[in-house]
Amino acid sequence: MARKAQENPQLDMTPMIDVVFELIIFFVVTLTQCQAKDETIKLEDGRYGIELTPEEMPPTQMTVDIARTGRISMGDITMTPEQIGQRVKERKRKFGEFPVLIRADYRTRHEAVARVMNACTANGIWKISFMAIYERKAKD
Amino acid sequence: MARKPQDNPQLDMTPMIDVVFELIIFFVVTIKQEDIFSKLNANRPAPASSAAASEENDTQVKIDIGSGGLVFNGRMMNMKQFDQSMREISKTSKNSMVVIRCTLDSPHKYLVDALDTCNKYQMYNVSVFSI
């Protein structure tokens, strides 16, 4: 059966929009999963600690990561304890007292943790918190 | 066959339902539940005062952490024994100062476990020293 030439041929956009939406969602989900995966820092359980809600994470808080190997970092930038001390000093001058949260792997030696704590005390920060897992939900 | 102009054009819902189902399945399969985190507070006195901490003081509860585990009252303990001991102590002296002394080669795990147990029995005055 021959098709008649349509007077107002319209492109059906529905499948294209479908596919574009699916692609956008796929990339958003897979990208965030890639970022969240960090095998070098596994935390110990701390069921009786204070639950880390957004209110318990003030913007002045400084988080220091310590990987299994003892690598000290802040925001994925490797740092020496001296550099951490410098940051603490600058931050204390700006904000006064502020909380320090150490996110250390459960297998790491205390040596690296002690270095970070010493960098804090040398610059007048005595209160240190350690991050732990309140409730495990993620599958390993 | 030429299409007749419809008098009551109706939106075909089928593709939308298809896509919605696909999305539901996609999220159910890929969704990753995140852990809920906690924080355990401790005091870190200046390194010079670590000598003072080793002095005998009855109001202090001393916990030593080495590479092998926890030593409490001169005895190596597993977590269950440590938990029991702390429970006993918390009954009589909840406000006493807890001093945790860690050797440099001890795994961080034991420090977190000790702090967690102190929090469990509401002993919040905890100081961490490194030896």
Side-chain angles (χ1 to χ4, degrees):
Chain A
M1 202 181 291
R3 278 190 185 173
K4 278 188 185 175
Q6 291 176 317
E7 283 173 20
N8 289 317
Q10 292 217 327
L11 191 67
D12 185 8
M13 295 292 281
T14 320
M16 203 178 112
I17 294 165
D18 288 354
V19 171
V20 168
F21 269 119
E22 290 234 14
L23 283 177
I24 289 170
I25 289 159
F26 177 78
F27 282 115
V28 166
V29 171
T30 50
L31 256 175
T32 48
Q33 277 191 346
C34 287
Q35 283 168 355
K37 205 173 183 183
D38 185 357
E39 290 295 318
T40 59
I41 301 177
K42 285 187 175 174
L43 300 174
E44 176 69 351
D45 286 335
R47 289 183 201 89
Y48 301 97
I50 303 157
E51 189 181 343
L52 266 186
T53 53
E55 296 84 59
E56 287 292 336
M57 302 267 276
T60 54
Q61 178 174 275
M62 191 173 122
T63 306
V64 182
D65 297 331
I66 303 172
R68 184 185 185 175
T69 52
R71 172 184 173 255
I72 300 164
S73 61
M74 268 177 73
D76 215 28
I77 301 164
T78 307
M79 291 184 134
T80 61
E82 291 74 33
Q83 286 171 315
I84 297 279
Q86 194 62 36
R87 285 274 183 104
V88 172
K89 202 174 180 178
E90 285 165 17
R91 203 176 272 236
K92 200 175 178 215
R93 207 171 42 221
K94 256 191 230 171
F95 306 113
E97 285 277 316
F98 65 91
V100 173
L101 182 67
I102 298 180
R103 184 171 158 261
D105 186 281
Y106 74 97
R107 299 156 291 191
T108 196
R109 279 156 52 99
H110 180 70
E111 192 178 2
V113 181
R115 279 183 181 166
V116 173
M117 288 196 288
N118 289 344
C120 294
T121 48
N123 293 289
I125 296 293
W126 317 98
K127 291 195 182 300
I128 313 277
S129 303
F130 297 95
M131 198 163 164
I133 294 180
Y134 189 76
E135 197 181 336
R136 268 182 209 278
K137 286 192 167 180
K139 290 169 209 146
D140 281 330
Chain B
M1 201 186 290
R3 278 189 187 172
K4 279 187 185 176
Q6 292 175 317
D7 287 335
N8 291 316
Q10 292 219 327
L11 191 68
D12 184 9
M13 295 294 280
T14 321
M16 204 179 111
I17 295 164
D18 287 355
V19 171
V20 167
F21 271 120
E22 281 217 35
L23 286 177
I24 290 169
I25 292 163
F26 179 77
F27 280 117
V28 166
V29 171
T30 59
I31 207 152
K32 196 180 160 193
Q33 282 195 304
E34 292 294 317
D35 292 330
I36 301 172
F37 299 108
S38 64
K39 67 172 181 181
L40 300 154
N41 296 330
N43 297 312
R44 172 68 169 185
S49 63
S50 58
S54 60
E55 286 170 15
E56 284 302 313
N57 188 338
D58 288 341
T59 59
Q60 285 182 354
V61 177
K62 290 194 194 71
I63 303 159
D64 286 301
I65 296 175
S67 55
L70 289 139
V71 178
F72 186 62
N73 283 341
R75 203 157 63 91
M76 181 76 96
M77 285 188 177
N78 61 29
M79 281 320 293
K80 201 177 168 189
Q81 291 167 324
F82 178 65
D83 188 275
Q84 278 171 355
S85 305
M86 290 303 279
R87 190 174 58 209
E88 292 303 318
I89 287 169
S90 69
K91 280 176 190 165
T92 53
S93 47
K94 194 164 269 185
N95 296 321
S96 54
M97 186 184 169
V98 180
V99 173
I100 302 176
R101 291 184 299 185
C102 301
T103 60
L104 294 180
D105 61 346
S106 63
H108 182 61
K109 166 188 165 45
Y110 295 128
L111 173 59
V112 176
D113 287 341
L115 287 170
D116 195 37
T117 309
C118 292
N119 271 34
K120 184 179 178 183
Y121 296 111
Q122 285 109 44
M123 298 173 85
Y124 298 118
N125 190 5
V126 187
S127 296
V128 179
F129 293 91
S130 306
I131 49 172

